[in-house]
Amino acid sequence: MHTFDYKETPKQLLTPDIVNMLSSLHELRGKQELYTNQKNLSL
């Protein structure tokens, strides 16, 4: 059975490239919510 070291795993997974991609996705999701809210208000 494999044992995981949960203290070191995030350091390996959260590289600067992945963090940049996640923040971009978060920003785009916020913009999408604004468009959906605006569409619902116009109906």
Side-chain angles (χ1 to χ4, degrees), residues 5-19:
D5 183 9
Y6 291 105
K7 292 181 181 180
E8 294 298 320
T9 301
K11 292 178 187 174
Q12 295 169 351
L13 293 177
L14 293 176
T15 63
D17 290 336
I18 291 176
V19 172

Side-chain angles (χ1 to χ4, degrees), residues 2 10 23-26:
H2 186 73
S23 60
S24 295
L25 285 172
H26 181 69

Side-chain angles (χ1 to χ4, degrees), residues 11-42:
K11 292 178 187 174
Q12 295 169 351
L13 293 177
L14 293 176
T15 63
D17 290 336
I18 291 176
V19 172
N20 285 337
M21 286 183 214
L22 289 172
S23 60
S24 295
L25 285 172
H26 181 69
E27 182 180 339
L28 292 173
R29 184 174 179 204
K31 288 181 182 180
Q32 181 182 10
E33 287 178 8
L34 287 175
Y35 291 133
T36 1
N37 290 341
Q38 187 177 23
K39 182 179 177 184
N40 290 337
L41 291 176
S42 65

